[in-house]
């Protein structure tokens, strides 16, 4: 079965073709340059860029998959969560495409897509995948959740952030340091050469498996402001250690809760997903814990960490098998529970 996936929830326009669970193509048009100097994604600019890119991206995905559009069996698209104007482009495209080609339309929850990226296989090689149930730490620019994944389409939120997402904490810290958007990958890069122990930041006290990052952001802002007062070049002179310190703190906050979730559920299969799962500090720490706590850890390849349509097609494939289809009346959702 051939499934076309469409993703346009935030700042990547993406189309992918899967043959069952095998990726034939996964084309991503990145909008980093569009938003770089605005300190975040500008919704109106994102929508316009999606509108320009959606058709070329789909054409390229079909070309790389080496199939024609007539061979497609279904089109799966991100319904939400995301930015309304951005989602509208992908949703409208998918609806028109399904109508024009007379094929089923499947709506996908973007966060479910991030989790299911772990099940995408490459042609000619079979990689190990998690078995159910497993825990998934889903960390992106908009979300931070610990999920109990009971089956492909049956996931329960055990804990989530009460304010900022982990990716947002990275991006805001970067912004305070004067780095462009998205700052997460830049902090990661600088942190690789810094001392994580030189500057310490407070850990929030949040009950249960929930997270909070807004206090950390404020503490970081005051820390920078106070140091810059006495040493104007403080950031420039110490940027590697500052980045390493804030990254270490965010990673420790995430890992502490993940350990607690594993202890409470008795589940030792741990996966990570979402943009922040590309973070080298987080990946390294997880591998350390795998050894220490006898976990089996699943870390996605970099191409599946950030937003992409292959993960949407993957979720679409399982919804197809379950006969869960949408109709032409469907509209995007900026917030979308599981
Ligand atoms: O999943 P994603 O592409 O989009 C959303 O659904 O939000 O995640 C984007 C987020 C941004 O906040 C970005 O700074 C962060 O993921 N990110 C990283 C890294 N790569 C992307 N954060 C830390 N380290 C990275 N290497
Ligand atoms: Zn995402």
């Amino acid at each position: 079965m051939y499934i076309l996936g469409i993703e346009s929830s935030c700042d990547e326009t993406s189309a992918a073709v899967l043959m069952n669970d095998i990726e034939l193509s996964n084309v991503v048009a990145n909008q980093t340059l569009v938003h770089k100097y605005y300190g975040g994604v500008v919704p109106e600019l994102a929508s316009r860029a999606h509108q320009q890119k959606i058709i070329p991206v789909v054409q390229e995905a079909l070309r790389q998959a080496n199939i024609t559009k007539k061979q497609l069996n279904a089109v799966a698209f991100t319904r939400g969560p995301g930015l309304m104007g951005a989602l509208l482009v992908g949703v409208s495209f998918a609806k028109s495409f399904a109508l024009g080609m007379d094929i089923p339309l499947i709506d996908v929850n973007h966060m479910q897509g991030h989790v299911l990226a772990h099940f995408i296989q490459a042609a000619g090689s079979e990689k190990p995948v998690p078995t159910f149930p497993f825990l998934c730490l889903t960390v992106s620019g908009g979300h931070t959740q610990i999920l109990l994944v009971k089956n492909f389409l049956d996931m329960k939120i055990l804990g989530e952030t009460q304010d900022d997402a982990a990716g947002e904490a990275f991006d805001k810290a970067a912004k305070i340091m004067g780095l462009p958007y998205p700052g997460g990958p830049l902090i990661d890069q600088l942190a690789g050469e810094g001392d994580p122990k030189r500057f310490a930041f407070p850990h929030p006290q949040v009950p249960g498996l929930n997270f909070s990052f807004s206090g950390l952001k404020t503490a970081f802002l005051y820390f920078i402001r106070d140091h810059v007062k006495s040493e104007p070049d403080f950031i420039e002179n110490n940027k590697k250690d500052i980045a390493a310190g804030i990254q270490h703190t965010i990673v420790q906050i995430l890992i502490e809760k993940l350990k607690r979730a594993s202890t409470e559920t008795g589940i030792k299969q741990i996966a990570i997903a979402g943009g922040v799962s590309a973070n080298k500090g987080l990946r390294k720490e997880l591998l350390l814990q795998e050894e220490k706590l006898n976990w089996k850890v699943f870390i996605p390849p970099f191409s599946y960490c950030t937003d992409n349509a292959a993960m949407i097609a993957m979720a679409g494939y399982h919804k197809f098998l379950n006969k869960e289809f949408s109709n032409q009346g469907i509209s995007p959702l900026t917030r979308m529970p599981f």
Side-chain angles (χ1 to χ4, degrees):
M1 174 191 329
Y2 293 110
I3 303 222
L4 173 69
I6 303 289
E7 157 63 32
S8 74
S9 64
C10 190
D11 59 345
E12 330 272 359
T13 318
S14 180
V17 178
L18 254 61
M19 185 179 69
N20 298 338
D21 59 350
I22 298 169
E23 182 191 300
L24 300 184
S25 64
N26 187 21
V27 178
V28 182
N30 185 281
Q31 299 181 7
T32 304
L33 289 177
V34 177
H35 307 289
K36 194 171 176 179
Y37 294 106
Y38 293 98
V41 175
V42 185
E44 174 69 19
L45 297 182
S47 317
R48 290 176 189 217
H50 285 307
Q51 195 68 46
Q52 284 172 342
K53 295 286 183 199
I54 188 82
I55 289 175
V57 157
V58 170
Q59 277 171 337
E60 182 59 16
L62 288 168
R63 194 192 67 76
Q64 289 184 15
N66 202 20
I67 64 162
T68 67
K69 55 182 186 287
K70 289 197 176 122
Q71 288 172 271
L72 290 167
N73 300 95
V75 51
F77 65 94
T78 301
R79 184 182 185 195
L83 301 168
M84 180 49 84
L87 288 165
L88 268 169
V89 177
V91 174
S92 307
F93 177 88
K95 282 164 72 169
S96 318
F97 192 86
L99 192 65
M101 301 307 296
D102 196 22
I103 54 175
L105 183 63
I106 304 169
D107 68 295
V108 168
N109 182 311
H110 178 86
M111 300 312 291
Q112 226 161 24
H114 271 301
V115 178
L116 295 184
H118 283 282
F119 294 91
I120 304 170
Q121 297 288 355
S125 70
E126 186 118 333
K127 66 163 191 213
V129 296
T131 51
F132 303 111
F134 64 92
L135 297 177
C136 188
L137 172 71
T138 310
V139 266
S140 71
H143 293 84
T144 299
Q145 299 173 330
I146 296 181
L147 300 173
L148 168 63
V149 186
K150 297 186 234 175
N151 211 320
F152 291 109
L153 301 171
D154 188 2
M155 305 175 190
K156 186 180 164 202
I157 299 173
L158 299 183
E160 63 187 330
T161 184
Q162 295 175 337
D163 39 58
D164 293 352
E168 223 174 331
F170 271 106
D171 295 338
K172 285 182 177 169
K175 193 174 174 185
I176 293 167
M177 290 173 71
L179 299 170
Y181 178 86
L186 302 171
I187 296 240
D188 190 358
Q189 217 177 323
L190 289 168
E193 294 173 43
D195 173 2
K197 298 277 164 68
R198 196 169 146 224
F199 302 116
F201 302 101
H203 284 214
Q205 300 303 316
V206 188
L209 297 173
N210 288 331
F211 300 91
S212 166
F213 288 101
S214 67
L216 176 62
K217 173 192 65 191
T218 312
F220 187 75
L221 179 69
Y222 291 161
F223 162 84
I224 294 285
R225 190 194 59 186
D226 293 348
H227 278 83
V228 168
K229 248 188 220 157
S230 51
E231 183 190 343
D233 291 335
F234 173 74
I235 299 175
E236 191 48 39
N237 294 342
N238 300 284
K239 61 182 177 197
K240 291 177 182 168
D241 293 342
I242 301 171
I246 189 75
Q247 174 168 299
H248 179 74
T249 308
I250 296 171
V251 168
Q252 288 309 317
I253 293 169
L254 295 172
I255 294 284
E256 277 163 25
K257 293 289 170 144
L258 209 42
K259 278 169 139 170
R260 188 171 175 157
S262 171
T263 308
E264 283 181 9
T265 58
I267 296 172
K268 285 177 174 281
Q269 282 197 95
I270 315 282
I272 51 169
V276 180
S277 62
N279 184 267
K280 291 197 270 307
L282 176 62
R283 295 162 91 99
K284 195 170 148 196
E285 186 61 35
L286 267 177
L287 292 174
L288 281 177
Q289 297 301 333
E290 178 172 50
E291 253 182 47
K292 251 199 213 164
L293 301 172
N294 201 21
W295 282 357
K296 176 85 189 102
V297 163
F298 294 88
I299 296 176
F302 286 113
S303 57
Y304 295 151
C305 291
T306 39
D307 293 345
N308 67 89
M311 68 186 199
I312 303 304
M314 187 70 219
Y317 170 61
H318 284 284
K319 290 191 96 171
F320 191 107
L321 296 180
N322 265 7
K323 299 190 173 54
E324 291 180 39
F325 301 113
S326 321
N327 59 44
Q328 287 289 330
I330 198 154
S331 52
L333 294 174
T334 52
R335 289 166 179 268
M336 187 175 173
F338 287 134

